[in-house]
Amino acid sequence: MPIYSYPAPCAPDYKKPKSVEDCLPQARRLVRKMAPYEKPRFGVAPRMFVREGARILIVTLPDQDKYVAEAMVRALKEQGATHVDFIFPKDLVGRDPEITSVEDGWKEAELMEGGKASGTFTDLMTGLGLTTATAKYLDDHPGYSMVFIDVAGGNARRGLLQHADKFYGFWPFNTWEWFLSRGHTFPLEVWDEFERRAVEPLARCSQVRITDPEGTYLEFSLSPDDAYRWHAHALLHGHLFMNPLMATCGETREPRGEDIETPPVFQRASGVLAGTSNHCGFFPRIEVYFEEDRVVEVRGGGKYGDAIRENIDKFKNIQWPGYPGKGLFWFCDTALCTSVGVHRRKCDMFKSYWIYPNLPERTRGGVFHLGFGSRSYRDEKTFAAYAEKTGAPRGHIHVHNYFATYEVKIRGTEYWHKIVDKGWITALSDSGIRALAAKYSVPDELLKYDWIPPLPGVNTAGDYFKDYAPNPVAYLKKRLKAGEPI
Ligand SMILES: [Fe+2]
């Protein structure tokens, strides 16, 4: 029997609820009353903190599980909400979202063309402009004090325009499987502390190296000043900014930072990003080559690769405002999500209402999503006007890596510290974190991944290049049929 140096595949086995009562214990764990002085906190991790007397509007999808919805209404009211209403895309924009499947990973490139790519778009959930429509709905229904919507980072709040202050968080609980995930109820005290420890070495690093068994090898160096700036903006709860450009461009900060006049840190990364999945789903293995942050070549990737190659060529002469050179695609995303107990969702992976049906898998701690395209800084209007003038698509697209090792060289030493080791966030093994975890549960139980994907030849039997890389979905379907974890 072969021995693998990566952890074996596993996945949780949540059972579909058959009643509201089946959902109530989890609903009660997810909801908490806020103290009057408390501010809402956003991040990838969805918890529902509510104020006494809240009138809540929840923007959800046509496949909303009715037992989950009812249980959450009860739990919210137990914690002081007076009204909880659900609203569907049909009520807001007159139609249902399109149905998507993880079989169409290549569509992420198309979303960039359609102006719906990450970084530019306020409704990552459906692509129907639900945030703007919700803002209009709130104009006509001023009684609501809290809105839960979407899964799309700070953009959701911004998209609510004049009602941004009513945004209190996300609502990804349309499906029972996601609702039941233990990842959402991970103790925040432990979560905050291990995230802080995970990003702490960034302030002290002079070099970064990212490797992954699917073939990624990326490197860059940093000056002390750039490292300090990066560290200062690296921590977004649930979604750490492990790429200096994404952390310092200000695009992800609200308001857009007092130092927006300072150019962001272009990390000048070189190497290759390789993988088989993105936010939309899966595709034949792709290799994206970078030279000093610019994408210079793309190999493989099937239709996804074709679309990217076409755009590289078509826009080879553009130069984004403030960017160091020409070209459409720049290395602008290396996000490390930190939700320990979540998993790849199976219940709707082949029939989803999200335009990004593969988004849930990337929220698990240790999974990286790396991206290329553009991010604006300084004057957003100038950036938008340039895109308009040249017809160049904005935003960025991704490749996920499941077993990455992310190392930083500590300045003035020869010591390389692994922030993530083969997909494992090493801060989770710190004795201080384990001691803190013991306050809530058995550390080994709390601080473990419930889901580890199968990669043949890497952590399970098979040949990666033969059995998986050409058609990942076919492999996953075979395992699903055999009742094996995916
Ligand atoms: Fe991204």
Side-chain angles (χ1 to χ4, degrees):
M1 199 178 145
I3 309 260
Y4 300 101
S5 58
Y6 290 83
C10 64
D13 188 19
Y14 293 112
K15 299 278 179 277
K16 191 172 182 344
K18 295 195 182 80
S19 66
V20 176
E21 282 64 35
D22 284 353
C23 300
L24 269 175
Q26 177 72 346
R28 287 181 175 132
R29 283 189 286 266
L30 285 167
V31 175
R32 182 171 69 71
K33 191 187 290 182
M34 295 167 81
Y37 55 82
E38 262 188 288
K39 282 193 178 147
R41 48 182 292 167
F42 317 118
V44 168
R47 295 287 274 274
M48 297 186 81
F49 295 161
V50 295
R51 293 202 192 280
E52 183 75 44
R55 299 172 66 97
I56 298 174
L57 180 68
I58 296 173
V59 184
T60 189
L61 291 174
D63 57 357
Q64 175 63 55
D65 184 281
K66 61 176 194 288
Y67 299 136
V68 170
E70 182 53 36
M72 287 299 277
V73 170
R74 278 203 220 167
L76 288 162
K77 287 190 173 168
E78 283 169 7
Q79 293 299 322
T82 55
H83 280 75
V84 183
D85 294 330
F86 285 85
I87 193 164
F88 293 84
K90 253 199 175 138
D91 308 320
L92 288 166
V93 294
R95 64 192 167 106
D96 286 340
E98 267 172 45
I99 290 171
T100 60
S101 161
V102 299
E103 289 172 287
D104 299 323
W106 63 273
K107 282 194 175 166
E108 192 162 330
E110 204 177 53
L111 293 176
M112 205 171 162
E113 293 287 347
K116 295 173 185 171
S118 302
T120 58
F121 194 47
T122 58
D123 174 13
L124 286 185
M125 183 164 75
T126 64
L128 293 177
L130 291 186
T131 42
T132 319
T134 303
K136 204 174 160 296
Y137 187 83
L138 291 170
D139 283 342
D140 301 336
H141 301 81
Y144 291 106
S145 58
M146 289 182 156
V147 179
F148 290 87
I149 183 173
D150 213 341
V151 290
N155 286 350
R157 183 179 138 79
R158 210 177 293 158
L160 288 175
L161 308 169
Q162 64 276 25
H163 300 287
D165 287 346
K166 293 178 183 170
F167 177 71
Y168 269 69
F170 306 114
W171 177 262
F173 302 132
N174 51 312
T175 75
W176 59 269
E177 197 186 2
W178 201 240
F179 165 77
L180 287 177
S181 169
R182 80 166 181 106
H184 308 316
T185 57
F186 191 90
L188 289 172
E189 184 188 16
V190 184
W191 202 334
D192 287 345
E193 185 55 23
F194 87 72
E195 286 183 326
R196 195 189 63 72
R197 291 186 192 207
V199 299
E200 187 273 333
L202 300 181
R204 297 183 281 135
C205 83
S206 58
Q207 276 184 62
V208 175
R209 183 163 64 206
I210 314 165
T211 54
D212 181 273
E214 291 199 76
T216 297
Y217 193 113
L218 287 159
E219 289 180 300
F220 55 88
S221 304
L222 286 163
S223 70
D225 270 1
D226 287 351
Y228 297 140
R229 281 185 62 206
W230 178 17
H231 174 253
H233 301 294
L235 209 164
L236 174 71
H237 174 52
H239 182 284
L240 308 179
F241 295 151
M242 303 302 279
N243 168 307
L245 178 57
M246 76 190 292
T248 58
C249 70
E251 191 183 76
T252 42
R253 292 204 296 279
E254 277 191 63
R256 282 167 69 94
E258 65 295 338
D259 60 345
I260 54 168
E261 289 307 317
T262 316
V265 177
F266 286 90
Q267 57 273 307
R268 297 180 180 273
S270 293
V272 58
L273 165 63
T276 44
S277 55
N278 60 15
H279 291 4
C280 282
F282 298 87
F283 44 81
R285 181 174 177 273
I286 199 168
E287 289 178 353
V288 184
Y289 288 82
F290 295 88
E291 266 174 31
E292 301 210 329
D293 284 347
R294 186 201 340 244
V295 174
V296 291
E297 192 189 346
V298 171
R299 295 186 195 158
K303 275 162 88 172
Y304 191 43
D306 291 342
I308 298 166
R309 280 182 285 272
E310 203 175 291
N311 273 335
I312 290 176
D313 203 45
K314 194 164 155 195
F315 298 104
K316 62 176 184 282
N317 289 321
I318 69 147
Q319 183 162 358
W320 293 114
Y323 275 55
K326 290 183 174 174
L328 181 68
F329 291 107
W330 293 79
F331 184 46
C332 63
D333 194 357
T334 309
L336 170 62
C337 283
T338 57
S339 186
V340 170
V342 294
H343 59 285
R344 178 183 282 161
R345 222 157 74 179
K346 288 183 290 191
C347 70
D348 63 344
M349 70 190 289
F350 299 111
K351 188 184 179 240
S352 171
Y353 286 104
W354 281 357
I355 54 171
Y356 288 113
N358 205 34
L359 209 58
E361 70 160 32
R362 71 88 164 96
T363 53
R364 202 216 62 202
V367 176
F368 276 88
H369 56 279
L370 302 104
F372 44 98
S374 62
R375 288 182 186 270
S376 66
Y377 74 97
R378 290 182 182 162
D379 178 8
E380 163 67 23
K381 277 193 190 129
T382 310
F383 211 87
Y386 184 76
E388 177 97 39
K389 191 179 88 187
T390 55
R394 291 184 57 189
H396 62 273
I397 54 178
H398 304 92
V399 172
H400 296 179
N401 275 174
Y402 307 110
F403 294 106
T405 296
Y406 190 106
E407 299 167 274
V408 295
K409 191 176 183 191
I410 304 301
R411 191 181 310 122
T413 77
E414 289 306 307
Y415 173 63
W416 284 86
H417 170 76
K418 289 180 178 152
I419 293 176
V420 179
D421 185 10
K422 294 178 177 172
W424 178 249
I425 300 172
T426 58
L428 292 169
S429 301
D430 281 3
S431 49
I433 295 299
R434 290 178 59 81
L436 200 57
K439 248 174 90 174
Y440 297 91
S441 177
V442 178
D444 282 343
E445 285 300 307
L446 189 69
L447 305 171
K448 71 165 195 211
Y449 293 161
D450 288 9
W451 167 69
I452 297 169
L455 277 190
V458 174
N459 70 341
T460 190
D463 181 319
Y464 173 79
F465 283 100
K466 234 173 73 205
D467 304 331
Y468 188 78
N471 189 348
V473 169
Y475 175 82
L476 295 176
K477 280 185 165 173
K478 222 186 286 172
R479 282 184 67 104
L480 271 177
K481 220 170 156 192
E484 293 166 334
I486 64 155

